[in-house]
């Protein structure tokens, strides 16, 4: 939408054509298929997909036919973390893992049915590799073939986006050259290429760590309740969890293309792994569960925070006042700047077309004020939204007002798909990962919410306990 509205349209007779009519034609011809096709596929999936649990077992379908399993065929159930995703329930059937999406309706009832009908040594939905009396062994490895497909996909996406930007920029290049000159025609192309810059940065950041999968293709890491084992094809390091001296997180790469690297130091030797190892988030959670507290890297509260650690206190200095957790961090500031760049598109278009012609476009007259209001709301949230921890209560300040939950009224707290929630009987406080010093805030809530029904984040609540459960999308 924003891509079309900054195109300078000049007729062959030298008269400026209406930007509004060009925009309307562009939307109808160029974008309808892009949006309608995915919408049709999603509509079909929503109506067709289904997951059912009965007395006999489970059955489900997505786009195709039904898949059925009997209760006795399910050998295990647990929480897993698929590559770069959140904690997700899964069942084990004939050695294969089947993910149970959280998008199904009556999801809690489905999990309760599985828990009731399937027997395991450690009942309950817990993270695989971290369960009480864990008996399974987990292996993590690098998958070059998968990473190669990802690189190719990113490359094709970049070529497509860049081609669209160039095509729309050169669409009236000849006309603009004849009427305004080559300089304005090239400026027109440059306006569209501005939108390719953030896409290029994002794709570069995604592709940069993928090369690690090729140089580390022989590396494997195996975990169990006893310890951890690393092998790179030439050397092997095997250590009990108590033998780990340090578990640290660092970065590889350069500015704009940095990616995480985790290093483990043991009495037997040191090794590391990067973000592209298969199910990296799951591996990190397992290590974090078993590693001794003395080996954990102490988080730096002010790291990445605009204003430093002192801004995390109401008094402006470390130790002065109450702890306050805000959203003024590097990540949110970068997103705000990108948003501002898109808002400048009509201004840049106005420099070429004339502001009067740009403003005559109905789409811009409607969308631009709404986007400006949205941007101002985001900017206000960036500077003013916060969660404050006091001795007596948890306080959230946002555009919707102030919410106060006394610590004794906290019924539970949880991590639901990345959104942290603190719940009382009448109020909810929600905050998400970009907030400054997230781990510190979670630790404060765990320590102070003494009346909470659950201890720890990310637990799945128990659902309906009946005999026959049916859940569908």
């Amino acid at each position: 939408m924003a891509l079309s509205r900054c195109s300078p349209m000049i007729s062959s007779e030298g008269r400026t054509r209406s930007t509004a009519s060009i925009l309307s034609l562009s939307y109808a011809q160029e974008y309808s298929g892009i949006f309608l096709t995915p919408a049709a596929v999603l509509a079909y999936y929503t109506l067709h997909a289904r997951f059912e649990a009965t007395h006999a077992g489970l059955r489900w379908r997505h786009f195709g036919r039904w898949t059925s399993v009997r209760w006795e065929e399910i050998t295990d159930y647990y929480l897993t973390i698929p590559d770069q995703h959140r904690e997700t329930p899964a069942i084990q059937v004939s050695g294969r893992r089947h993910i149970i999406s959280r998008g199904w309706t009556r999801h809690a009832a489905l999990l309760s049915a599985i828990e009731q009908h399937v027997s395991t040594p450690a009942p309950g939905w817990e993270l695989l590799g971290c369960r009480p009396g864990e008996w399974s062994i987990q292996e993590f490895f690098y998958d070059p073939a998968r990473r190669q497909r990802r690189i190719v996909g990113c490359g094709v996406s970049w070529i497509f986006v860049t081609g669209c930007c160039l095509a729309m920029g050169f669409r009236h290049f000849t006309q603009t050259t004849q009427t305004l000159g080559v300089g304005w025609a090239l400026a027109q192309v440059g306006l569209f290429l501005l939108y390719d810059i953030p896409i290029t940065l994002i794709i570069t950041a995604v592709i940069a760590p993928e090369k690690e999968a090729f140089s580390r293709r022989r590396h494997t890491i195996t975990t169990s309740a006893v310890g951890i084992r690393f092998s790179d094809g030439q050397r092997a390091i095997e250590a009990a969890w108590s033998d780990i001296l340090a578990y640290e997180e660092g970065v590889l790469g350069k500015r704009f293309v940095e990616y995480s690297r985790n290093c483990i130091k043991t009495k037997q030797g040191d090794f590391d792994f990067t973000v592209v190892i298969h199910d990296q988030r799951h591996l990190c959670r397992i290590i974090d569960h078993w590693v001794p507290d003395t080996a954990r890297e102490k988080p730096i509260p002010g790291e990445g925070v605009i204003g430093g650690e002192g801004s995390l206190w109401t008094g402006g200095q470390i130790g002065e006042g109450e702890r306050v957790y805000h959203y003024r961090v590097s990540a949110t500031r970068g997103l705000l700047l990108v948003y501002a760049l898109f808002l400048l598109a009509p201004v840049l278009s106005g420099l070429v077309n004339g502001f009067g012609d740009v403003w005559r476009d109905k789409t811009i007259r409607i969308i631009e004020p709404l986007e400006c209001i949205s941007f101002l709301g985001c900017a206000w949230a960036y500077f003013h939204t916060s969660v404050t921890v006091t001795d007596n209560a948890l306080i959230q300040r946002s555009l919707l007002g102030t919410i106060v939950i006394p610590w004794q009224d906290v019924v539970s707290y949880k991590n639901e798909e990345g959104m942290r929630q603190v719940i009382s009987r009448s109020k909810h406080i929600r905050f998400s990962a970009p907030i400054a010093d997230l781990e510190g805030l979670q630790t404060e809530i765990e320590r102070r919410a003494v009346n909470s029904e659950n201890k720890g984040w990310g637990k799945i609540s128990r659902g309906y306990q009946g005999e026959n459960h049916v859940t569908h999308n």
Side-chain angles (χ1 to χ4, degrees):
M1 181 165 58
L3 291 177
S4 295
R5 65 185 183 211
C6 63
S7 175
M9 300 298 179
I10 307 296
S11 69
S12 59
E13 293 83 8
R15 297 188 308 169
T16 304
R17 297 178 59 186
S18 170
T19 307
S21 62
I22 298 298
L23 279 169
S24 300
L25 184 62
S26 297
Y27 286 125
Q29 292 181 341
E30 299 176 11
Y31 296 121
S32 60
I34 296 177
F35 291 106
L36 289 177
T37 301
V41 173
L42 179 61
Y44 172 80
Y45 180 80
T46 302
L47 296 173
H48 183 77
R50 192 173 180 86
F51 208 118
E52 297 182 357
T54 66
H55 294 285
L58 298 175
R59 71 171 190 156
W60 62 87
R61 69 183 182 191
H62 296 287
F63 287 100
R65 298 179 178 180
W66 287 100
T67 299
S68 302
V69 295
R70 299 187 304 274
W71 291 119
E72 55 268 24
E73 294 179 295
I74 303 175
T75 57
D76 200 1
Y77 64 88
Y78 45 77
L79 296 180
T80 185
I81 307 179
D83 197 24
Q84 303 303 319
H85 288 76
R86 308 290 181 185
E87 279 189 4
T88 306
I91 57 174
Q92 195 83 9
V93 181
S94 301
R96 293 186 60 187
R97 181 179 71 179
H98 296 272
I99 299 295
I100 302 176
S101 169
R102 291 181 180 270
W104 300 107
T105 59
R106 298 187 65 195
H107 185 262
L110 174 60
L111 301 186
S112 296
I114 295 173
E115 188 174 350
Q116 182 177 355
H117 289 88
V118 179
S119 299
T120 64
W125 291 93
E126 301 287 347
L127 186 64
L128 181 66
C130 303
R131 296 174 292 184
E134 183 62 67
W135 63 96
S136 64
I137 297 175
Q138 308 304 314
E139 185 177 20
F140 301 87
F141 54 90
Y142 294 87
D143 187 353
R146 184 182 185 193
R147 297 300 168 178
Q148 188 175 31
R149 292 193 296 269
R150 186 181 177 94
I151 291 173
V152 171
C154 288
V156 171
S157 300
W158 181 83
I159 292 173
F160 175 77
V161 172
T162 304
C164 288
C165 292
L166 290 173
M168 297 181 73
F170 280 106
R171 185 175 180 180
H172 297 274
F173 183 83
T174 303
Q175 297 173 1
T176 307
T177 301
Q178 294 174 352
T179 55
L180 295 179
V182 177
W184 282 110
L186 291 175
Q188 173 182 266
V189 176
L191 290 177
F192 285 100
L193 288 179
L194 283 176
Y195 292 98
D196 196 40
I197 294 175
I199 301 298
T200 301
L201 292 176
I202 292 172
I203 290 179
T204 301
V206 171
I207 290 179
E210 303 295 334
K211 64 181 184 296
E212 292 287 334
F214 299 92
S215 60
R216 297 172 180 255
R217 61 185 178 275
R218 298 183 183 277
H219 292 205
T220 60
I221 296 178
T222 306
T223 66
S224 67
V226 177
I228 188 169
R229 185 181 188 277
F230 167 82
S231 174
D232 62 5
Q234 297 180 344
R235 66 187 181 112
I237 298 174
E238 189 166 356
W241 293 113
S242 58
D243 291 338
I244 294 180
L245 304 176
Y247 174 48
E248 303 170 343
E249 182 176 352
V251 294
L252 292 174
K254 300 179 180 179
R255 189 174 179 84
F256 297 119
V257 290
E258 294 180 346
Y259 49 95
S260 65
R261 165 183 174 269
N262 299 77
C263 182
I264 296 179
K265 300 179 180 180
T266 73
K267 296 178 180 178
Q268 290 77 17
D270 304 341
F271 61 91
D272 66 353
F273 60 92
T274 69
V275 67
V276 294
I277 194 170
H278 192 60
D279 289 349
Q280 180 254 359
R281 288 173 56 91
H282 195 167
L283 173 58
C284 290
R285 285 288 302 275
I286 292 176
I287 296 174
D288 189 63
H289 176 81
W290 295 106
V291 73
D293 290 336
T294 55
R296 299 178 191 275
E297 183 181 21
K298 299 299 184 290
I300 303 174
E303 188 174 17
V305 178
I306 308 301
E309 188 177 356
S311 67
L312 299 177
W313 297 83
T314 54
Q317 300 292 332
I318 299 176
E320 292 187 8
E322 307 287 354
R323 291 301 303 269
V324 58
Y325 302 85
H326 53 74
Y327 287 89
R328 298 190 301 276
V329 297
S330 301
T332 52
R333 182 177 63 177
L335 292 175
L336 204 61
L337 291 176
V338 171
Y339 197 174
L341 175 64
F342 279 93
L343 286 177
L344 287 175
V347 178
L348 298 174
S349 181
L351 293 175
V352 177
N353 291 328
F355 288 99
D357 186 61
V358 171
W359 190 249
R360 281 195 294 271
D361 174 23
K362 293 181 180 180
T363 304
I364 291 181
R365 289 206 306 269
I366 296 173
I367 298 299
E368 190 65 20
L370 294 177
E371 288 185 345
C372 289
I373 294 173
S374 175
F375 175 78
L376 292 175
C378 293
W380 191 97
Y382 173 79
F383 287 104
H384 299 288
T385 300
S386 65
V387 177
T388 304
V389 174
T390 70
D391 292 336
N392 301 316
L394 185 69
I395 305 172
Q396 183 182 57
R397 294 178 175 87
S398 69
L399 275 171
L400 301 178
T402 301
I403 301 175
V404 180
I405 299 182
W407 292 117
Q408 64 269 21
D409 293 345
V410 175
V411 176
S412 64
Y413 53 86
K414 60 181 179 179
N415 177 5
E416 189 69 28
E417 297 295 328
M419 180 64 69
R420 278 68 172 180
Q421 300 183 43
V422 180
I423 305 168
S424 70
R425 298 192 182 278
S426 59
K427 301 176 183 178
H428 286 66
I429 286 180
R430 297 178 174 88
F431 54 92
S432 56
I435 198 168
D437 192 17
L438 174 63
E439 291 187 10
L441 176 55
Q442 292 187 151
T443 301
E444 288 284 351
I445 294 171
E446 288 186 47
R447 184 170 66 87
R448 296 174 183 270
V450 294
N451 295 330
S452 173
E453 296 174 354
N454 63 294
K455 304 297 179 183
W457 297 85
K459 302 298 183 183
I460 290 186
S461 58
R462 296 296 184 263
Y464 175 67
Q465 299 290 331
E467 282 294 317
N468 187 36
H469 309 272
V470 177
T471 182
H472 58 85
N473 197 328

